[in-house]
Amino acid sequence: MDLHFSEADHEFRARARTWLKAHVPTDSRPAHGEASARFDRDWQRKLYEHGWAGVAWPKEYGGLGLSGLQQVIWYEELARAQAPHHINTTYVAMMHAGPTLITRGTEEQKAFHLPRILSGEALWCQGFSEPNAGSDLASLKTRGVVDGDVVVVTGSKMWTTDAQHADYQELLVRTDPQSERHKGLTWLICDMRLPGIDIKPIRTMMQDEHVNSVFYDEVRIPLSNVVGEVGGGWSTALATLSFERGLGFIGDQLELYERVNRVIDLAEQVEFEDGRRAIEDSAISQRLAAIKADAIAIRAMTLADIAETDRTGMPGPKGSMMKLLVTQTHKALSEVVGEILDWDFLEFNGDRSNNPWIYEYLWSWIFSISGGTSEIQREITADRVLGLPRAR
């Protein structure tokens, strides 16, 4: 394996850095509401119009067709420039709905949806989790009845991020009422404007309504919106989850290193009551050194994971291990910030603009659940990476 960046890689990094320096939004992203979705659409449209959308998407589907390594370079430069990346309303569309359609969708589905995803015209949300089927996704109950050329959907989904702003949803339902667990599921493209859909926002500890409950009352979805096969949705869902837990967290994995450097800068600036700077506290400096080493190791593992994905064409189960490591490191870093600032930043009134550390601290807890809990990531790592006996 060649562990050096090529001349083309260096040239790509230079172009990306120059463009981002000139085009990164100067205004902060609104914390919530329609304004936040509009901000995300505008940024995605700018990327599209300037030829930076879908760095690793195949050229035949509107992407740049570049290597996974160059996608890593792109995310490193996004982090360096503190530019928006796919953590907001464009995330589901760009990082797993789009890739799922590329690998599993029909040509008609690809032709219609992929350009709209790349341009920011269409935002997506994920309809997988339910009130009693979150981490245990195979126990979902939302029903889909095939009726001629439509699937009639009744049930509910929970914790649906940005459902109120989404145009489409990747929706997993049970189309065989006699089936159990992973069998009899179907993956559907759901138009969020269809009659019978009711979205109820959920207010979170971050004082926003980022997640939602979604209710379906005999929603009629065209049979042509099935991705994969009727009853074969678990296989399609596994592809979606592999993108979500693999490539989907590249931005978070690579941004972590920049975040560590920002905390080191903070420790250089903050003085304790005895006149010492926080960085001069041996316990804090040692923990920051260990966390920075972990961030460097995560970057190296990301490169290895990307190389494997380039070879196989699909992210593997090691993405779960990466997500778990990032979650643990993120949380450890937030705890150090708390000690540096004596936890004063937890006085939160819902305005993140004057309190940048609160978002990262609260997100460190959300990250242990979002995209699959840490317990699930441990199960997948034990089963599919280490080959250990399954838990009973």
Side-chain angles (χ1 to χ4, degrees):
M1 179 188 296
D2 185 358
L3 297 179
H4 297 88
F5 289 109
S6 68
E7 183 176 339
D9 293 333
H10 287 298
E11 187 273 335
F12 175 75
R13 185 185 294 277
R15 284 197 299 114
R17 185 172 298 182
T18 299
W19 186 85
L20 287 167
K21 184 177 181 180
H23 293 93
V24 168
T26 55
D27 296 333
S28 298
R29 179 184 184 271
H32 48 78
E34 185 59 37
S36 64
R38 185 166 55 251
F39 180 97
D40 296 342
R41 286 185 194 267
D42 290 346
W43 174 242
Q44 184 63 35
R45 186 178 301 112
K46 181 179 287 189
L47 293 175
Y48 179 73
E49 291 173 348
H50 288 259
W52 292 102
V55 170
W57 281 30
K59 285 185 177 181
E60 60 265 37
Y61 299 122
L64 303 187
L66 300 181
S67 68
L69 181 59
Q70 287 171 321
Q71 187 179 30
V72 168
I73 292 171
W74 172 247
Y75 275 102
E76 286 183 329
E77 292 305 314
L78 283 175
R80 182 180 183 277
Q82 297 188 40
H85 66 277
H86 305 306
I87 194 171
N88 302 313
T89 57
T90 57
Y91 171 82
V92 172
M94 285 299 304
M95 300 309 290
H96 44 92
T100 300
L101 292 179
I102 289 172
T103 58
R104 299 297 183 97
T106 66
E107 291 306 316
E108 292 77 11
Q109 290 167 348
K110 295 174 189 177
F112 181 84
H113 289 287
L114 296 181
R116 289 168 172 78
I117 289 174
L118 284 174
S119 67
E121 178 183 345
L123 302 179
W124 284 59
C125 61
Q126 186 178 69
F128 279 20
S129 296
E130 297 183 3
N132 294 307
S135 298
D136 183 16
L137 183 59
S139 64
L140 67 84
K141 302 295 185 184
T142 296
R143 184 174 72 252
V145 178
V146 177
D147 180 18
D149 60 355
V150 300
V151 180
V152 183
V153 176
T154 302
S156 64
K157 295 292 178 177
M158 191 69 167
W159 311 120
T160 308
T161 302
D162 292 317
Q164 70 272 53
H165 306 306
D167 302 289
Y168 297 95
Q169 181 182 61
E170 43 187 39
L171 176 61
L172 194 62
V173 301
R174 188 170 298 281
T175 46
D176 181 355
Q178 305 304 318
S179 66
E180 295 182 355
R181 304 298 296 162
H182 310 95
K183 298 179 180 180
L185 305 179
T186 299
W187 201 109
L188 293 163
I189 300 169
C190 177
D191 186 333
M192 294 300 285
R193 294 157 293 195
L194 288 173
I197 296 177
D198 187 18
I199 300 170
K200 300 290 187 183
I202 301 170
R203 196 160 187 82
T204 72
M205 64 180 177
M206 299 177 77
Q207 304 300 307
D208 63 17
E209 295 176 344
H210 185 54
V211 294
N212 304 266
S213 293
V214 182
F215 300 91
Y216 310 82
D217 183 9
E218 297 190 352
V219 178
R220 300 177 70 83
I221 301 174
L223 202 57
S224 59
N225 283 17
V226 172
V227 178
E229 299 178 355
V230 173
W234 185 251
S235 174
T236 307
L238 286 181
T240 304
L241 294 172
S242 71
F243 288 118
E244 181 181 21
R245 294 166 181 170
L247 301 180
F249 288 105
I250 287 178
D252 298 281
Q253 291 164 209
L254 299 173
E255 188 183 40
L256 186 58
Y257 182 80
E258 295 295 332
R259 188 175 294 129
V260 173
N261 287 335
R262 293 201 301 272
V263 175
I264 291 173
D265 290 341
L266 177 70
E268 292 276 5
Q269 299 164 13
V270 171
E271 286 191 2
F272 291 150
E273 291 182 356
D274 60 6
R276 292 180 305 146
R277 292 176 300 144
I279 198 67
E280 294 172 333
D281 182 289
S282 60
I284 288 177
S285 62
Q286 289 172 15
R287 289 169 65 189
L288 284 174
I291 291 171
K292 186 165 186 176
D294 287 341
I296 294 171
I298 287 170
R299 179 181 183 272
M301 294 172 68
T302 299
L303 292 172
D305 199 29
I306 285 293
E308 181 176 342
T309 300
D310 278 348
R311 289 194 302 272
T312 63
M314 282 287 293
K318 291 180 182 177
S320 290
M321 183 170 62
M322 293 299 302
K323 181 183 183 297
L324 181 60
L325 290 172
V326 172
T327 298
Q328 292 174 336
T329 307
H330 195 165
K331 188 171 290 187
L333 185 62
S334 293
E335 290 173 355
V336 175
V337 171
E339 293 183 18
I340 292 172
L341 297 178
D342 198 25
W343 300 101
D344 289 340
F345 70 97
L346 289 182
E347 296 180 7
F348 180 48
N349 62 2
D351 181 7
R352 296 198 296 261
S353 60
N354 296 320
N355 191 351
W357 301 110
I358 187 66
Y359 178 82
E360 295 184 3
Y361 175 76
L362 293 177
W363 183 252
S364 73
W365 290 92
I366 295 169
F367 203 50
S368 67
I369 300 172
S370 175
T373 66
S374 292
E375 289 76 13
I376 289 296
Q377 308 312 322
R378 290 187 180 95
E379 285 277 351
I380 294 172
T381 299
D383 179 30
R384 302 182 196 171
V385 179
L386 302 176
L388 299 176
R390 301 202 64 162
R392 296 185 184 276

